[in-house]
Amino acid sequence: MEVYESVSSALQNAVSQVASRIAEYLPNLLGALGLLLLGWLVAWLLRGLAVKAMHILELLLHRLSRGQVARTIPSGSVEIVAGILFWVVILFFAAAATHVLGLGAFSSWLQSLVTYLPTLMAAALIIIVGVLLAGLARDLTVAALPTFPEHQRVLLGPGVPDRARVAE
């Protein structure tokens, strides 16, 4: 009987310690869960705003084309940009949630990833601006080519992509 009482008291102590630790950790867990839900809501709203903004940009490009062949934003790129924005916002909130939970190693890894994102976005912006400027240079070159003599068009031809070359 004495063995039963000692095992019973040891189990009661273990259960009470687990319950007290859960009670201590529960506010952190609820706070992290709240942050993740808030992050999902903010990411969902920003994703919708990004899709709307890109559709407005497409409409603006169509209206500015004035009878020329209208350039449109490929529908796949709208979803890609919106998806990237969604997951970047989720990543920011996940980093905050891991900090609230006290997960030091994971939190520092996510924080270093989050601090790297502006560099990545700047690189993407530089690439996009480069592509847009290359398209502008191609359009200007193509617009100027019909007025040039044959030998000058041949010299400028390799600098312009094949699909944009003026037929000789």
Side-chain angles (χ1 to χ4, degrees):
M1 194 60 132
E2 202 172 293
V3 172
Y4 174 72
E5 287 178 11
S6 67
V7 169
S8 174
S9 70
L11 282 175
Q12 285 177 348
N13 285 339
V15 168
S16 71
Q17 285 178 356
V18 168
S20 68
R21 288 193 183 196
I22 288 174
E24 289 173 4
Y25 200 65
L26 191 62
N28 292 348
L29 190 61
L30 291 175
L33 185 62
L35 273 173
L36 288 175
L37 287 174
L38 179 66
W40 179 81
L41 178 66
V42 169
W44 184 73
L45 288 172
L46 286 178
R47 183 178 191 270
L49 286 173
V51 168
K52 294 262 188 212
M54 290 184 78
H55 286 302
I56 289 171
L57 180 64
E58 184 177 12
L59 180 66
L60 182 65
L61 285 174
H62 180 69
R63 287 189 179 172
L64 288 177
S65 66
R66 296 185 189 182
Q68 299 172 355
V69 176
R71 292 185 178 171
T72 60
I73 300 171
S75 62
S77 64
V78 171
E79 291 300 318
I80 289 171
V81 169
I84 288 172
L85 181 63
F86 178 85
W87 287 110
V88 164
V89 172
I90 290 290
L91 185 64
F92 275 105
F93 278 91
T98 57
H99 183 70
V100 167
L101 286 175
L103 303 174
F106 192 65
S107 179
S108 65
W109 177 77
L110 274 179
Q111 193 62 34
S112 66
L113 184 63
V114 166
T115 56
Y116 181 69
L117 283 177
T119 305
L120 189 63
M121 288 181 187
L125 184 63
I126 289 170
I127 289 171
I128 289 170
V129 168
V131 167
L132 291 174
L133 287 177
L136 176 66
R138 181 196 65 223
D139 291 345
L140 289 175
T141 304
V142 168
L145 282 179
T147 61
F148 285 7
E150 176 72 25
H151 68 281
Q152 288 179 343
R153 283 192 299 188
V154 170
L155 289 174
L156 289 175
V160 180
D162 286 337
R163 67 181 183 86
R165 286 193 187 150
V166 175
E168 296 179 4

